[in-house]
Each structure stands twice: as structure tokens, then as C-alpha cells.
């Protein structure tokens, strides 16, 4: 088993960019676990299947291929919403967590980002980071991202979405979003991506030296 880095945090906290940069820097494989929930949701939506039938959603989750995950086809807002709805189902989580754990054991090391990596998926990870930022900053980042991609967006509506998603992710009974007791907290509200990466790198290098 390789060196596992677990990165958790709420929507639009900057986990994605940070995780990819860390994986590239250390030559580790990266899994954005949100995509496994999104791919399950998209498969249900595409087939016109219900989002509230746990057995159907579990079967769909069991068929997800980690190799085929692509954020560009899973980015739609509607898919993110549906993902957070099916993510409350224990059978769906069991199916996806098993695939995520198998991925985490790859050599020479892996970076997994999501909501429950340090608490449930990889409780023995060598490094755990909990990346957060205020809801205002996260809404602004998501807004800038959409505008930057040539889209249109409403900042107030995005802010409401961020808060609704936080409540759903933090309030669910199975694997709620929360920092692991041994996670390093990284509040990026007033940090650039580069500064957040440097802070993470210091923590990771210290753990690698201990290993
Ligand atoms: O929209 P954003 O990129 O922040 O979210 P995502 O990482 O794509 O995840 C979409 C949804 O999947 C989240 O709102 C969570 O409800 C769920 N999820 C989860 O429950 N556990 C994970 N490890 C990752 C995502």
C-alpha cells in the first residue's frame, strides 16, 4: 500500500485544484470522489430513473467505472444537486466507498478528495487535510469560475446553493461532512491557491519524512 493523502471539505473550497497540484507534484494518482457520486447521478438522470429509489441507485453505483470519470461531462449544476441527494443513501455510499478504497491502495501513493475521506474511506491516511473557506468566498469562487468559462450566473442564487449543499452534506446521518479528529485545517478564505498549496506541502513533506 502506498502513501495516502485524504482531502475533505465543502463545495467550492478549492479541494479540486489543490488535490490535482499535490498529485502532480508527488507523482501520486488522484481520485475526485465527488465524480463517483456525480457519475451515479448522471446515469440515473440519463435513464429517467428515480433519484429516491435506493436499490436502483445502488445498482447504478456498483456499475460505475472509475477509469471513465470526466468532470467536464459531469459538471452540470443539476448533476451536482442530484449527486448530493443520492449521497445520503447508505447502500450507494457502501458501493462507491468500496471502489474508492481499492483505488486508494495504488502505488506509489494516492490523493483522494471528497467529503468523508479522512473520516470513513481512508481513516488511516498518512495525511488528512480539511480545506474550507467561508460560504461567501466559496460562492464568489464558483461564480468567477462560471463567468470565466463564458457562462452566466447569479451570485445570490449560488450563495443559497452553497448553503443548501453544506446543510445537506453536513446534516446527513451517514458519513456527514466534518473534519477528522486528526485532520489539519486549511482555511483558504484569504489564501491564494499557491499559498494553500505551500501550506499543504509543508504538512505532506513532514509526514513523508516520518514515513
Ligand atoms: O460541487 P462540488 O464539486 O463541490 O461537489 P462534488 O465534490 O462534485 O460532490 C458532489 C456531491 O457528492 C457532494 O455535494 C456530496 O453530497 C457528494 N459527495 C459525498 O457525499 N462524498 C464524497 N466523498 C464526495 C462527494
Amino acid at each position: 500500500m502506498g502513501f495516502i493523502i485524504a482531502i475533505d471539505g465543502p463545495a467550492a473550497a478549492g479541494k479540486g485544484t489543490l488535490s490535482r497540484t499535490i498529485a502532480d507534484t508527488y507523482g501520486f494518482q488522484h481520485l475526485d470522489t465527488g465524480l463517483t457520486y456525480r457519475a451515479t447521478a448522471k446515469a440515473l438522470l440519463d435513464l429517467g430513473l428515480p433519484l429516491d429509489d435506493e436499490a436502483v441507485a445502488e445498482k447504478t453505483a456498483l456499475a460505475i467505472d472509475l477509469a471513465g470519470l470526466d468532470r467536464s461531462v459531469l459538471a452540470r449544476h443539476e448533476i451536482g444537486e442530484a449527486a448530493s441527494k443520492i449521497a445520503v443513501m447508505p447502500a450507494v455510499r457502501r458501493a462507491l466507498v468500496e471502489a474508492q478504497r481499492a483505488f486508494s491502495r495504488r502505488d506509489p501513493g494516492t490523493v483522494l478528495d471528497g467529503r468523508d475521506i479522512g473520516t470513513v474511506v481512508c481513516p488511516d491516511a498518512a495525511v488528512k487535510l480539511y480545506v474550507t473557506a467561508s460560504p461567501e468566498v466559496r460562492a464568489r469562487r464558483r461564480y468567477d469560475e462560471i463567468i470565466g468559462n463564458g457562462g452566466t450566473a447569479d451570485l445570490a442564487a449560488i450563495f443559497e446553493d452553497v448553503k443548501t449543499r453544506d446543510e445537506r452534506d453536513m446534516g446527513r446521518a451517514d458519513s456527514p461532512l466534518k473534519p477528522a479528529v486528526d485532520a489539519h485545517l486549511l482555511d483558504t478564505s484569504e489564501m491564494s491557491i499557491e499559498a494553500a498549496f505551500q501550506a499543504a506541502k509543508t504538512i505532506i513533506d513532514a509526514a513523508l519524512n516520518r514515513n
Side-chain angles (χ1 to χ4, degrees):
M1 189 163 94
F3 188 89
I4 302 175
I5 302 175
I7 304 186
D8 292 301
K15 303 185 301 278
T17 316
L18 183 65
S19 305
R20 276 190 301 275
T21 310
I22 291 172
D24 287 349
T25 303
Y26 293 94
F28 291 171
Q29 300 194 56
H30 172 225
L31 179 63
D32 173 349
T33 62
L35 296 185
T36 64
Y37 292 90
R38 283 176 178 263
T40 306
K42 180 173 188 293
L44 291 167
L45 292 170
D46 285 352
L47 294 170
L49 293 168
L51 292 174
D52 59 358
D53 184 328
E54 188 157 354
V56 170
E58 177 188 24
K59 206 165 156 232
T60 308
L62 284 166
I64 295 301
D65 177 7
L66 295 192
L69 300 174
D70 176 358
R71 184 162 278 270
S72 64
V73 302
L74 298 169
R76 275 204 332 270
H77 177 69
E78 181 197 343
I79 297 176
E81 272 298 297
S84 89
K85 285 182 190 149
I86 56 144
V88 305
M89 298 172 171
V92 168
R93 303 202 68 86
R94 255 195 320 274
L96 296 178
V97 165
E98 192 175 328
Q100 293 161 13
R101 269 191 199 131
F103 181 97
S104 75
R105 297 190 197 104
R106 294 187 186 180
D107 285 316
T110 52
V111 180
L112 279 80
D113 76 279
R115 302 288 193 282
D116 60 340
I117 310 303
T119 50
V120 174
V121 182
C122 303
D124 299 326
V127 174
K128 298 181 185 179
L129 302 175
Y130 189 85
V131 184
T132 185
S134 70
E136 289 78 7
V137 168
R138 291 187 282 124
R140 163 60 68 174
R141 283 183 189 158
R142 185 131 293 179
Y143 173 84
D144 289 345
E145 186 185 326
I146 297 169
I147 301 295
N149 288 331
T152 50
D154 172 354
L155 184 58
I158 294 178
F159 181 64
E160 287 311 312
D161 280 349
V162 162
K163 286 197 300 185
T164 308
R165 188 93 77 81
D166 281 0
E167 274 159 31
R168 207 182 284 142
D169 288 345
M170 293 174 187
R172 69 178 172 228
D174 188 347
S175 315
L177 169 65
K178 62 171 181 210
V181 284
D182 50 350
H184 297 268
L185 301 187
L186 214 59
D187 185 333
T188 67
S189 299
E190 293 179 18
M191 258 188 205
S192 64
I193 289 183
E194 178 57 26
F197 170 68
Q198 286 306 329
K201 188 170 181 298
T202 304
I203 295 164
I204 296 165
D205 288 343
L208 278 168
N209 283 333
R210 274 198 302 276
N211 238 42

